[in-house]
Amino acid sequence: MNYRHIYHAGNFADVMKHALLTALVNALRRKSTPFSVLDTHAGTGLYDLSGPQAQSTGEWRDGIGRLLDTDPDAPDLAPLQSWLGIVRGIIHAHDGKLFYPGSPELIARLLRPGDSLTCCELHPEDQRSLKALFRHNPAVSVHGRDGYQAITALLPPRTAKRGLTIIDPPFEQRDEFTHLAAAVIEARARFPGGIIAAWYPIKHRAPPRAFLHALKDAGQRNLLTAELTLRPPLDPGRLNGCGLLVAGPPYRFDEEARSILDALRPYMGEDETEADVEWVVPE
């Protein structure tokens, strides 16, 4: 509970994750029936990149900072425009100040009448900020609840038969991958009609491989991964990349994810940056 995302907000991992999450929510919007989203580790929802915490690390400069000055109509950025348009709109609404939306704020802006978002955040200060952000939005509820326990308590959603569960833990614990695998399995059992999106860091290859093997060994199917690595993942002391596991992805999401990562790759890293979308287990 010591993790504060403000120090890392808007970095390359956020950019990759949020561009893909926006595409997942847009896929849900293609059908008229309502959907529900559960964000298990929500953070504050909105981050001031000009504040002392974000400025102390400067991680956002090599993430969203590399995209803000690009041409909004650039053809190579077309796969990112839905997400990037929301980011630019928020900055414009704050008179040009660098406010970056986390997953709750992004999703809230994509909800339609009848759709809903449930956010869980355990850190007391971040929870207060999240509640203040959505105090006038009846479609969004905020819980001071452990994210993993929320899967058991809040799935399946009462308001919709389809939706998305986002599991984005801070990876403070050594056994976080084990908890994440169990959470994916539990979420799919409780909400089989829902999409599950689970973010994970890539420092070196062994832990993510063990995580994916655990899901395969548990009989999980229809698993897709989208990964972006800035450099070969050989140094376990550095965040060399990240991935998003999508269980039960929407139709042709593999193609959409590839186009998103291909659009990001030239901006997010250097010559060694690689993007990969792979079916871990097909349907």
Side-chain angles (χ1 to χ4, degrees), residues 5 8-26 39 41-42 45 47 64 79-80 82-84 86-87 100-107 110 166 168 199 242 244 260 264:
H5 190 64
H8 313 288
N11 67 3
F12 83 94
D14 257 7
V15 164
M16 176 262 204
K17 173 180 60 183
H18 292 146
L20 292 171
L21 285 178
T22 300
L24 287 172
V25 177
N26 280 334
D39 191 340
H41 299 76
Y47 301 93
I64 189 60
L80 308 177
S82 179
W83 159 73
L84 196 53
I86 295 174
V87 176
Y100 180 80
S103 53
E105 178 68 3
L106 281 172
I107 294 163
L110 292 169
I166 305 162
D168 181 19
W199 182 89
C242 64
L244 190 74
I260 288 171
L264 281 176

Side-chain angles (χ1 to χ4, degrees), residues 129-201:
S129 297
L130 193 62
K131 287 183 176 179
L133 180 64
F134 294 122
R135 63 186 179 276
H136 299 306
N137 191 336
V140 181
S141 60
V142 178
H143 296 246
R145 184 189 291 271
D146 175 80
Y148 290 126
Q149 293 177 4
I151 291 171
T152 303
L154 301 176
L155 291 181
R158 297 179 181 178
T159 57
K161 295 183 179 180
R162 63 193 192 96
L164 169 67
T165 300
I166 305 162
I167 310 172
D168 181 19
F171 279 85
E172 289 184 298
Q173 307 299 324
R174 293 175 62 90
D175 57 352
E176 198 81 72
F177 272 110
T178 300
H179 290 302
L180 185 59
V184 170
I185 294 168
E186 181 70 15
R188 296 193 85 186
R190 289 183 170 272
F191 191 20
I195 303 164
I196 313 298
W199 182 89
Y200 56 92

Side-chain angles (χ1 to χ4, degrees), residues 73-127:
D73 299 318
D76 63 320
L77 292 177
L80 308 177
Q81 287 308 331
S82 179
W83 159 73
L84 196 53
I86 295 174
V87 176
R88 286 183 167 132
I90 289 172
I91 292 173
H92 178 75
H94 286 84
D95 297 322
K97 294 180 181 179
L98 291 175
F99 279 85
Y100 180 80
S103 53
E105 178 68 3
L106 281 172
I107 294 163
R109 288 173 177 262
L110 292 169
L111 297 178
R112 310 159 305 175
D115 301 331
S116 63
L117 167 63
T118 301
C119 304
C120 296
E121 176 52 50
L122 201 55
H123 194 286
E125 187 175 345
D126 288 357
Q127 181 191 140

